[in-house]
Amino acid sequence: MVTILGIEVPNQLNELTVQQFETITTIHANTDLDAIDKHLQVFEFLGVPTIEWDNVEIEEFKEIVRNFNDIQSKPELVNTLEIDGYTYTAFEDKFKLSVKDTKHIEKIMHSKHKGYISELLAVLFKRTDLTKVEHYSDAHIKLKAKLIRELKAELAVPYLVEIGQKLSKHIPKDAPTEILE
Amino acid sequence: MHLPKSWSEIDVLQFKEIRELYTIPEVFNREIEILAILADVSSEELEDLDIEEVTAMISQIKFVNSEPSKQYKHQLDDYHFKSLDKLTVGEYIDLEHYFSKDYNQNIGHIASILYRQKSVDQWGVTVFEPYNFSPRVRYELFEDYCINDIYGIIPEFISFRENFMDTYGNLFHDNTADADDEVRPTNSEEAKEIQKEKSQLKWGWERLIYSLCNEDLTKFEEVTNLPLIMTFNMLAMKKELNI
């Protein structure tokens, strides 16, 4: 936690939920906002009213942002989750991306909707008592995403890093062939 | 899993299937579908593979993101390429139609207009079979050929069309004036005028033929069988001399 203008605000990955993390990344992805507005919106979302900033000097604001962004832990990939008595597994020994998972993940990322991080994790984490068909049904993925949204962001971040690295390495960047005219 | 190494191993039908997949917006999803077509397997068969394995395969089929050869064959069995400057009005209009729709998907139709049977008449003159068939019944004849054999007719026609429009564009201009500009009518008279212009644009070729027929529709075929270049030269002369 970090204290901002007397208010306790979660900033560590084991304090923020996946849902909060999704909102923060959505705010940061908003190209209509400048850097200061993005931080103000994030702080407001986490409980610091915008009006409180009226008398804050820019140097003090910069220091607050620096403290907020100071992430202490570096979480590892967690391969198994237990939720409501069910086991969800993302991989056995080493994290791999299958073609099927990648196809789903690419579609989710392409849709650019707010809850994409939890849906992306919902594709990777498969309930061990279910079949392959059930893993990928839209309704099941939405349900898993809803459960994952309540978990801590420390679960999501290592996966985002791994997926980002794999996709940038493996997904071809060739422009669609538009040929002549 | 055998994968083709270049367009020289791809036939026209496969080419059409591949190009159709470019409507899939997600790059990886699209590449997997293309890979499945080229490997002749269902895309489900690839889904359990690791992304690393398929990436190696995808890198082998990178040629699909380039164009096939622009050198086309002038003869495909009994069918011979008809030089573009010998096109008739009717052939050109149909080619325009297939190009404006989607020339990749219509390449068989386009080939069926441009590749024709021919014979030598009693005077020793080479004559092409008349254009009295529908490309819709003949396009399949060309789908088994290698795409490299016929793809070049596409850039060839596009280049011909550009030159044609440069030369005769002013003849179309009256019909297509302001076609690209969305003009907002300020009153009902203007709205009627804009609607009329839109109708004229929609029926452009029909209007041209109707006028060449002197409004006598029994002459329709006669007009569509006229040589394109000669017809447009005459129209250009008529316009310039205002006769």
Side-chain angles (χ1 to χ4, degrees):
Chain A
M1 289 277 183
V2 62
T3 305
I4 299 175
L5 306 179
I7 298 164
E8 288 276 287
V9 172
N11 71 324
Q12 298 300 315
L13 296 175
N14 59 0
E15 295 165 352
L16 291 161
T17 64
V18 172
Q19 189 167 23
Q20 285 173 316
F21 189 72
E22 281 174 335
T23 304
I24 292 169
T25 55
T26 304
I27 292 169
H28 279 285
N30 185 349
T31 49
D32 291 335
L33 299 175
D34 62 34
I36 293 175
D37 278 336
K38 284 177 184 176
H39 287 300
L40 289 176
Q41 283 209 8
V42 168
F43 293 146
E44 187 176 23
F45 166 68
L46 294 174
V48 185
T50 307
I51 199 157
E52 301 282 332
W53 297 99
D54 285 355
N55 298 317
V56 175
E57 299 266 332
I58 189 68
E59 285 309 315
E60 189 187 348
F61 182 73
K62 279 185 186 170
E63 186 59 26
I64 289 168
V65 169
R66 205 172 296 128
N67 289 337
F68 178 78
N69 288 338
D70 184 17
I71 308 296
Q72 304 289 333
S73 61
K74 193 173 177 245
E76 299 287 320
L77 280 174
V78 172
N79 67 340
T80 301
L81 299 172
E82 297 283 338
I83 308 174
D84 297 338
Y86 294 109
T87 306
Y88 297 83
T89 304
F91 61 93
E92 294 294 332
D93 309 316
K94 189 175 174 245
F95 177 65
K96 285 181 177 178
L97 261 182
S98 72
V99 168
K100 188 157 188 153
D101 284 355
T102 311
K103 282 172 74 174
H104 278 272
I105 286 168
E106 191 187 31
K107 278 185 184 163
I108 291 165
M109 290 174 85
H110 199 259
S111 70
K112 289 179 182 159
H113 63 286
K114 193 179 162 187
Y116 82 94
I117 295 173
S118 46
E119 271 191 36
L120 196 143
L121 292 169
V123 169
L124 295 174
F125 280 95
K126 297 169 183 76
R127 221 170 88 179
T128 50
D129 61 317
L130 295 182
T131 66
K132 214 177 198 183
V133 178
E134 290 161 318
H135 288 320
Y136 296 100
S137 85
D138 280 350
H140 183 59
I141 286 181
K142 297 267 182 227
L143 175 72
K144 274 194 282 183
K146 201 176 160 193
L147 299 171
I148 287 170
R149 222 161 271 153
E150 306 304 319
L151 304 178
K152 296 297 179 194
E154 63 185 347
L155 170 75
V157 172
Y159 279 99
L160 291 177
V161 173
E162 281 286 333
I163 291 168
Q165 281 172 353
K166 282 192 187 287
L167 294 193
S168 64
K169 194 171 152 197
H170 296 296
I171 287 191
K173 291 181 189 66
D174 301 309
T177 312
E178 208 21 78
I179 303 163
L180 294 161
E181 291 179 301
Chain B
M1 197 178 284
H2 171 76
L3 289 172
K5 292 184 176 58
S6 70
W7 285 119
S8 61
E9 294 178 60
I10 307 294
D11 64 31
V12 171
L13 188 59
Q14 284 176 307
F15 170 78
K16 283 166 62 175
E17 285 176 345
I18 291 166
R19 283 294 181 256
E20 201 168 15
L21 293 172
Y22 278 78
T23 53
I24 299 174
E26 300 92 6
V27 181
F28 184 75
N29 277 268
R30 184 201 311 146
E31 297 281 354
I32 289 296
E33 296 301 322
I34 294 174
L35 183 64
I37 287 179
L38 295 180
D40 201 19
V41 297
S42 71
S43 57
E44 286 77 28
E45 285 180 58
L46 301 170
E47 286 184 340
D48 286 337
L49 297 177
D50 186 273
I51 187 174
E52 314 251 348
E53 291 172 73
V54 292
T55 305
M57 293 183 213
I58 288 171
S59 68
Q60 287 179 54
I61 55 157
K62 280 212 175 300
F63 71 87
V64 297
N65 289 320
S66 66
E67 275 187 86
S69 168
K70 290 181 184 172
Q71 303 295 317
Y72 56 92
K73 283 194 174 166
H74 283 251
Q75 185 178 351
L76 300 169
D77 298 316
D78 293 337
Y79 294 87
H80 302 258
F81 184 73
K82 185 177 178 181
S83 174
L84 296 177
D85 55 12
K86 300 270 192 303
L87 287 176
T88 64
V89 173
E91 289 163 349
Y92 184 82
I93 292 171
D94 284 355
L95 285 167
E96 274 282 337
H97 166 75
Y98 289 120
F99 270 81
S100 65
K101 292 266 176 184
D102 178 347
Y103 51 73
N104 286 323
Q105 290 310 307
N106 286 317
I107 190 163
H109 297 70
I110 292 165
S112 72
I113 299 173
L114 292 176
Y115 285 98
R116 309 274 280 281
Q117 297 174 86
K118 67 180 184 181
S119 63
V120 178
D121 70 10
Q122 56 182 320
W123 312 110
V125 178
T126 300
V127 280
F128 280 89
E129 63 172 321
Y131 183 46
N132 55 9
F133 57 88
S134 167
R136 283 194 291 274
V137 298
R138 203 179 263 197
Y139 73 93
E140 286 176 337
L141 284 178
F142 298 92
E143 292 197 328
D144 289 338
Y145 286 105
C146 172
I147 186 62
N148 278 347
D149 291 347
I150 67 169
Y151 182 78
I153 63 175
I154 302 284
E156 179 89 358
F157 180 77
I158 286 174
S159 161
F160 174 81
R161 185 173 62 171
E162 272 171 17
N163 287 334
F164 181 78
M165 286 299 172
D166 281 350
T167 311
Y168 303 109
N170 62 329
L171 295 175
F172 292 92
H173 192 67
D174 286 344
N175 293 343
T176 59
D178 301 325
D180 295 333
D181 303 328
E182 192 59 42
V183 182
R184 283 165 193 261
T186 52
N187 56 46
S188 63
E189 280 306 305
E190 221 173 285
K192 273 186 202 165
E193 203 51 44
I194 289 169
Q195 193 52 46
K196 192 177 157 193
E197 272 179 28
K198 278 186 180 170
S199 295
Q200 285 177 349
L201 183 66
K202 181 183 168 192
W203 298 104
W205 283 111
E206 286 82 353
R207 280 183 72 238
L208 181 79
I209 294 169
Y210 194 55
S211 126
L212 287 168
C213 289
N214 285 327
E215 304 186 3
D216 176 2
L217 282 178
T218 60
K219 291 182 185 160
F220 185 90
E221 270 194 34
E222 227 173 277
V223 167
T224 53
N225 285 327
L226 286 173
L228 178 76
I229 302 293
M230 186 273 288
T231 307
F232 275 80
N233 275 339
M234 297 306 283
L235 286 172
M237 179 198 73
K238 244 181 103 182
K239 182 166 183 174
E240 196 174 318
L241 300 177
N242 200 20
I243 52 174

